[in-house]
């Protein structure tokens, strides 16, 4: 009997609704993740993560844009660092941005909570590898 690994729950934090729609569609078409939550900015995501009622619905992986209104990706990372120990779950974070600014890339590399910096659009094979790796660690 073959037992499938539990699905990887993904989260997209990005205010670009067109990109979020396409990214969710890609995850679904490639059978990478059937559960995807989305937030328009970091503040909405932090509020969701802080709410104890959502403790059983936290994502395994976050794809985080850095350029957003209200709370950008860097501000989200500062807030996330404050609450991550209270979440009771390891959440892998990838920066997913259209910015090719070397300062952003270097800043991400210096943050130990960020697994990698991915420049949009994400390559499908790279995305598949990320989900394979997440399935192997879950």
């Amino acid at each position: 009997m073959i037992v499938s690994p539990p699905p990887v729950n993904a989260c997209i934090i990005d205010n670009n609704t067109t990109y979020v729609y396409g990214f969710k569609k890609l995850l679904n078409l490639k059978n990478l993740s059937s559960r995807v939550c989305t937030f328009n900015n970091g503040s909405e995501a932090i509020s969701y993560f802080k709410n104890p009622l959502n403790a059983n619905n936290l994502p395994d992986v976050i794809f985080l844009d850095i350029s957003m209104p209200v709370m950008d990706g860097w501000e989200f990372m500062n807030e996330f660092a404050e609450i991550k120990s209270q979440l009771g779950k390891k959440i892998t974070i990838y920066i997913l941005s259209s910015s090719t600014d070397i300062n952003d890339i270097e800043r991400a590399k210096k943050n130990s909570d960020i697994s990698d910096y991915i420049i949009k659009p994400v390559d499908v094979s790279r995305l598949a590898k990320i989900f394979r790796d997440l399935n192997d660690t879950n």
Side-chain angles (χ1 to χ4, degrees):
M1 179 175 168
I2 298 173
V3 177
S4 298
V8 173
N9 297 327
C11 174
I12 305 166
I13 305 173
D14 192 327
N15 67 316
N16 183 331
T17 55
T18 304
Y19 190 82
V20 169
Y21 174 81
F23 194 76
K24 282 179 69 174
K25 196 80 172 168
L26 177 66
L27 293 177
N28 218 349
L29 287 173
K30 297 296 180 184
N31 291 319
L32 297 173
S33 181
S34 58
R35 289 195 59 204
V36 181
C37 60
T38 61
F39 301 98
N40 288 319
N41 60 66
S43 180
E44 288 180 5
I46 289 294
S47 294
Y48 178 87
F49 296 154
K50 283 182 173 178
N51 187 335
L53 297 175
N54 298 322
N56 292 327
N57 294 314
L58 295 175
D60 300 297
V61 60
I62 295 172
F63 295 96
L64 174 68
D65 191 16
I66 53 175
S67 181
M68 296 176 285
V70 183
M71 178 187 285
D72 68 21
W74 301 123
E75 293 167 319
F76 170 85
M77 290 308 303
N78 290 338
E79 293 282 327
F80 185 81
E82 297 290 323
I83 66 166
K84 69 179 183 181
S85 65
Q86 302 159 27
L87 297 178
K89 179 179 189 177
K90 181 180 180 339
I91 301 175
T92 304
I93 300 175
Y94 288 90
I95 297 291
L96 185 58
S97 175
S98 56
S99 171
T100 57
D101 186 331
I102 192 68
N103 294 318
D104 288 334
I105 296 168
E106 290 300 321
R107 186 174 178 183
K109 287 181 179 181
K110 290 178 183 172
N111 187 324
S112 62
D113 290 329
I114 298 171
S115 293
D116 205 353
Y117 189 100
I118 303 170
I119 297 172
K120 292 178 183 176
V122 65
D123 177 67
V124 175
S125 60
R126 184 169 186 192
L127 197 57
K129 182 178 181 338
I130 288 169
F131 279 83
R132 269 194 315 273
D133 291 347
L134 289 166
N135 274 322
D136 290 345
T137 57
N138 284 343

